C-alpha cells in the first residue's frame, strides 16, 4: 500500500511485521511462483479470495452502507499475507499487533486495498460474467462505502484503517497524513472514487438500486474533492522556478490519476455535469506535470508529484492511463498528447534503463520493483494504445508485463497463475520478498485480466529472461578521483524533502575537480551531471572528456524555491555535446564562485536496448535519444523470420518489414523506438 508518506520516507518497500496472527486464517503452503499452466487463463482469484473477510462492524456514528440493517456483514480485505514457519500463508494487518485486544497499530483492513480489490472483481465479472466476482465486488463496495464518512464537515472523505472487528481507526500508528484519515483529501479518497465509478458503471444495468446508492456516495466523494481540492482550480504554485498546479489531490498526479479513472468510467456511464467538470479539471492538472523530452529529464514523463521536479516513481504512475480515459470520456484529444509522449518517449527509456523502479529520484536511488509499479505501466500503455489506435504501445505493455514471468532483476516469476499470488517485490540486489499482500495481488491480477483479454500480448509477455540491457549508466561522484579540495559529504538523511541523494555527494570549491575513468563504448553517449541547482548561488562547473570539451553547468540556473519542500533542486542537466564512443575519461572542474554540488553523472547511450527471450522466441526494444535516425545491429534469438517495426517519437508506425538473416540492421528514428520480434 503506497502513499505519499512512504515517498517522504524514501520510498521504502512496505512489508508486514512478522508477528503472531491468531485472527488470520491459513492458506496453502507457500512455494516459489511458477509459470506452469500458462495455456489457460492467467487470472486466478484464489489468493485474493483468501484475503477477503466479511465483518459485522459495531455501530459507529456517521458510517453506514447499503442495506446494513438487512445484511450487517460487509466485505473487508486483509492488508498483508506472509508465509509462516509452517510454510502456510497467514493474513496480517498493519503496524504492531496486540494479542490481548486483537488489534493492530494501523488495522487489519484498509480502504486503499478494498477499493482496488473491488475494481479487480468488477473487471473480472464484466470480462468473464462470473457471478462470484459480481458478489465479491458488491460486498467490497458495501464495505468501502461504510468507511466513507457520510455527514458532518468531512463528509465524503474516507477512513483508511479498520480493526479486525470492524472498528474504525482514523488515527493509526504510525501516523499518516491526513490525521484523522478522513479529515482531508487523500489517496484513499481518490481510490474510493475509482472503485465507485467503475462500480456504478458495472451495476447500473443489473442492479439499478445498488447503482443509485453508489452514485450518491460517488457524488458525496466528488463534493469532498471540490471543496478541498478543486476550490483551487486554475491556481498555480512555484516549485524551484516552475509553475505547477495547486489543484491536484494531495499534490499528486498519481493520486489524482486514480480518481480520474473512476470519474472517466462514471462519466461514460452517464455521470452528470458536476462529474464531467471535475474530470476535466483534474485531468488538466495532470497534463501540467508533463515534462522533459527525449534528451532532457524526465524524458517526456508525466511527473507524479507537483512539489518536486526531481521525482518519478513506478508505483501509482497511471497518469497516462487516466489522461487516455479522460480524453475518451470527454471527447477531448488534447488530453491525450502528454500520455502519448509518456508512452512513446519515457517508457522505452525506463525499460531500457532498468525497468519500473519504485523511485527515480532522480537517479535509480530506489531500485525496488513491485507489482504496483509494473501494473501502472501496463495499464497506462494499454489505455493509450486503445485511445490513440497505436499498436506499438500495446507491445510495450507486453514487454513490461514480462516482469511477472521472470524478466526482472531476480530472474524469477513475480506472479503464479496456479495460486493467484504475486510476490511483494524485488529489491535492487535481486532479493525477493515472498510475502503476498493485497496490493501486489491486486495489481498483478489487474495486469493478468488485461493479458487474458489480449491473448496475443499474453504470448508476447512470456519472454521470461533478460538477455541484454544496454542503457543508462550512473557514475557516483564519491567514486571519482578528487582533485584540489573536493570533499565527499554524507548527509544525515539522503532524502532532501524533494529528492533522494544517491548515498553521498561531492562539494567542489573553485578550482577543485573530479575525474572518472571507464571503458570505451560502441556509440556516443549523452552526459547528464546530477547536480544541486541553487538560485542565486554563483557556482559553475566545466566538463570535458579525453576526446574534447562537453560543456558547462550553471549551478544557479534554477528559479525560486516557492512551495518546494527543500531549497535547491537535485536535477540531471544534459550537457550540450555528446561523449565520443572512444572516450575513456570524464572530468569536471569548478570555476570561480561558491562550491558546486555534484551527486552523480548519468551516461545515456544514443541508442539503448532491452532484449527478452523465452518460449523459443525473443523481443528486442531499441530506443533512440539521437537527433537523427540511427542504425543498429540486432541478433534476435529464436527461429523463423523476424518482424521489425519502426515507430517515431509519437508512437506512430513508420516502417515494417520481416527478415530471415541471423543479424539484422535496423533503423531507430530520432526520439522513437523500434521493436524486433522473432
Amino acid at each position: 500500500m503506497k502513499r505519499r508518506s512512504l515517498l517522504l520516507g524514501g520510498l521504502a518497500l512496505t512489508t508486514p511485521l512478522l508477528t503472531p496472527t491468531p485472527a488470520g486464517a491459513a492458506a496453502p503452503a507457500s512455494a516459489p511462483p511458477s509459470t506452469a499452466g500458462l495455456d489457460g487463463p492467467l487470472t486466478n482469484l484464489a489468493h485474493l479470495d483468501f484475503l477477503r473477510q466479511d465483518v459485522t462492524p459495531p455501530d459507529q456514528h456517521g458510517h453506514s452502507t447499503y442495506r446494513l440493517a438487512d445484511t450487517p456483514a460487509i466485505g473487508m480485505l486483509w492488508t498483508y499475507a506472509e508465509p509462516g514457519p509452517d510454510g502456510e500463508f497467514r493474513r496480517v494487518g498493519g503496524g504492531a499487533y496486540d494479542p490481548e485486544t486483537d488489534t493492530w497499530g494501523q488495522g487489519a483492513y484498509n480502504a486503499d486495498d478494498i477499493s482496488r480489490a473491488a475494481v479487480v472483481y468488477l473487471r473480472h465479472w464484466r470480462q468473464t460474467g462470473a457471478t462470484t466476482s459480481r458478489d465479491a465486488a458488491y460486498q467490497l463496495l458495501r464495505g468501502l462505502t461504510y468507511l466513507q464518512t457520510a455527514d458532518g464537515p468531512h463528509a465524503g472523505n474516507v477512513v483508511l484503517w479498520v480493526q479486525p472487528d470492524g472498528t474504525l481507526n482514523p488515527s493509526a500508528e504510525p501516523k499518516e497524513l491526513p490525521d484523522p484519515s478522513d479529515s482531508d483529501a487523500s489517496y484513499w479518497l481518490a481510490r474510493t472514487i475509482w472503485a465507485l465509478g467503475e462500480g456504478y458503471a458495472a451495476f447500473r444495468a443489473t442492479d439499478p438500486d445498488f447503482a443509485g446508492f453508489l452514485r450518491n456516495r460517488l457524488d458525496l466523494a466528488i463534493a469532498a474533492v471540490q471543496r478541498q481540492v478543486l476550490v483551487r482550480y486554475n491556481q498555480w504554485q512555484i516549485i524551484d522556478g516552475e509553475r505547477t498546479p495547486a489543484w491536484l489531490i494531495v499534490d499528486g498526479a498519481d493520486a489524482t490519476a486514480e480518481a480520474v479513472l473512476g470519474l472517466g468510467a462514471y462519466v461514460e456511464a452517464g455521470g452528470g455535469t458536476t462529474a464531467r467538470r471535475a474530470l476535466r479539471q483534474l485531468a488538466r492538472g495532470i497534463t501540467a506535470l508533463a515534462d522533459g523530452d527525449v534528451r532532457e529529464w524526465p524524458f517526456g514523463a508525466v511527473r507524479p508529484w507537483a512539489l518536486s521536479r526531481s521525482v518519478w516513481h513506478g508505483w501509482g504512475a497511471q497518469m497516462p492511463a487516466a489522461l487516455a480515459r479522460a480524453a475518451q470520456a470527454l471527447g477531448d484529444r488534447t488530453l491525450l498528447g502528454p500520455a502519448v509522449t509518456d508512452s512513446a518517449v519515457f517508457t522505452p527509456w525506463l525499460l531500457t534503463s532498468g525497468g519500473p523502479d519504485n523511485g527515480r529520484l532522480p537517479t535509480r536511488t530506489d531500485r525496488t520493483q513491485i507489482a504496483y509499479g509494473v501494473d501502472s505501466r501496463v495499464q497506462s500503455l494499454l489505455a493509450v494504445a486503445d485511445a490513440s489506435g497505436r499498436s506499438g504501445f500495446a507491445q510495450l505493455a507486453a514487454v513490461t508485463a514480462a516482469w511477472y514471468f521472470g524478466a526482472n532483476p531476480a530472474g524469477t516469476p513475480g506472479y503464479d497463475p496456479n495460486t493467484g499470488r504475486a510476490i511483494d517485490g524485488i529489491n535492487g540486489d535481486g532479493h525477493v520478498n515472498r510475502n503476498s499482500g493485497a496490493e501486489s495481488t491486486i495489481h498483478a491480477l489487474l495486469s493478468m485480466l488485461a493479458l487474458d483479454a489480449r491473448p496475443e500480448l499474453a504470448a508476447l509477455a512470456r519472454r521470461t529472461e533478460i538477455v541484454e540491457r544496454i542503457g543508462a549508466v550512473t557514475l557516483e561522484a564519491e567514486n571519482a578521483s578528487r582533485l584540489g579540495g573536493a570533499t565527499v559529504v554524507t548527509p544525515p538523511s539522503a532524502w532532501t524533502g524533494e529528492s533522494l541523494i544517491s548515498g553521498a555527494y561531492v562539494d567542489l570549491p573553485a578550482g577543485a575537480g573530479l575525474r572518472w575513468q571507464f571503458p570505451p563504448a560502441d556509440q556516443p553517449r549523452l552526459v547528464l551531471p546530477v547536480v544541486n541547482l541553487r538560485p542565486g548561488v554563483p557556482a559553475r562547473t566545466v566538463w570535458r572528456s579525453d576526446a574534447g570539451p562537453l560543456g558547462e553547468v550553471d549551478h544557479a540556473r534554477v528559479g525560486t524555491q516557492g512551495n518546494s519542500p527543500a531549497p535547491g533542486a537535485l536535477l540531471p542537466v544534459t550537457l550540450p555535446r555528446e561523449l565520443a564512443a572512444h572516450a575513456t575519461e570524464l572530468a569536471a572542474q569548478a570555476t570561480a564562485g561558491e562550491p558546486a554540488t555534484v551527486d552523480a553523472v548519468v551516461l545515456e547511450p544514443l541508442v539503448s536496448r532491452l532484449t527478452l527471450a523465452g518460449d523459443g522466441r525473443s523481443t528486442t526494444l531499441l530506443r533512440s535519444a539521437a537527433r537523427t535516425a540511427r542504425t543498429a545491429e540486432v541478433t534476435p534469438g529464436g527461429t523463423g523470420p523476424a518482424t521489425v517495426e519502426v515507430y517515431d517519437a509519437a508512437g506512430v508506425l513508420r516502417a515494417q518489414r520481416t527478415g530471415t538473416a541471423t543479424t539484422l540492421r535496423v533503423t531507430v528514428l530520432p526520439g522513437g523506438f523500434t521493436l524486433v520480434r522473432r
Side-chain angles (χ1 to χ4, degrees), residues 340-650:
V340 166
T341 302
D342 187 296
S343 301
V345 176
F346 172 75
T347 298
W349 171 81
L350 182 73
L351 293 171
T352 58
S353 66
D357 296 335
N358 261 7
R360 308 289 181 107
L361 310 168
T363 58
R364 293 189 69 195
T365 38
D366 186 347
R367 293 184 294 137
T368 301
Q369 295 181 3
I370 60 176
Y372 193 7
V374 179
D375 179 58
S376 294
R377 289 291 91 187
V378 170
Q379 300 296 334
S380 289
L381 288 162
L382 292 176
V384 177
D386 290 344
S388 66
R390 298 172 191 175
S391 62
F393 297 143
Q395 294 187 60
L396 290 179
V399 172
T400 306
W403 185 94
Y404 293 108
F405 305 107
N408 56 51
T412 188
Y415 169 76
D416 185 353
N418 296 304
T419 64
R421 295 192 199 113
I423 59 175
D424 267 354
I426 301 172
N427 291 345
D429 61 4
H431 176 76
V432 178
N433 183 340
R434 294 288 180 191
N435 295 339
S436 187
E439 180 177 270
S440 295
T441 303
I442 287 163
H443 283 284
L445 291 172
L446 288 172
S447 290
M448 296 307 118
L449 283 166
L451 293 177
D452 281 339
R454 301 165 176 84
E456 72 286 357
L457 296 185
L460 185 58
R462 293 170 195 171
R463 312 295 196 260
T464 58
E465 178 186 1
I466 299 174
V467 175
E468 182 182 38
R469 179 177 264 141
I470 299 174
V473 173
T474 300
L475 307 176
E476 296 293 347
E478 61 268 29
N479 294 336
S481 298
R482 298 184 295 279
L483 308 169
T487 304
V488 175
V489 179
T490 303
S493 172
W495 178 246
T496 69
E498 57 88 42
S499 60
L500 197 65
I501 296 165
S502 58
Y505 60 87
V506 174
D507 270 342
L508 297 177
L514 294 171
R515 182 177 290 116
W516 295 265
Q517 292 183 318
F518 39 79
D522 62 357
Q523 60 175 307
R525 290 181 279 185
L526 302 181
V527 180
L528 294 86
V530 181
V531 299
N532 189 30
L533 303 177
R534 295 171 292 172
V537 178
R540 187 177 293 270
T541 49
V542 177
W543 296 77
R544 63 177 297 114
S545 75
D546 53 340
L550 299 172
E552 298 184 1
V553 174
D554 179 359
H555 291 243
R557 192 174 180 181
V558 68
T560 57
Q561 178 180 350
N563 287 348
S564 171
L570 186 69
L571 289 170
V573 178
T574 306
L575 295 179
R577 286 179 284 280
E578 296 161 2
L579 182 70
H582 63 270
T584 61
E585 187 175 289
L586 176 67
Q589 184 174 28
T591 59
E594 297 291 325
T597 298
V598 179
D599 181 37
V601 180
V602 177
L603 305 181
E604 177 69 41
L606 290 190
V607 177
S608 53
R609 71 172 67 196
L610 170 68
T611 298
L612 307 180
D615 197 25
R617 302 175 183 178
S618 71
T619 300
T620 296
L621 163 67
L622 301 106
R623 176 259 187 193
S624 173
R627 292 191 173 96
T628 59
R630 294 183 67 87
T631 58
E633 290 188 349
V634 177
T635 305
T639 59
T643 300
V644 180
E645 295 175 343
V646 180
Y647 297 88
D648 66 15

Side-chain angles (χ1 to χ4, degrees), residues 391-392 395 645-649 651-655 669 672-675:
S391 62
Q395 294 187 60
E645 295 175 343
V646 180
Y647 297 88
D648 66 15
V652 176
L653 180 64
R654 294 300 185 183
L669 297 178
F673 62 94
T674 295
L675 287 164

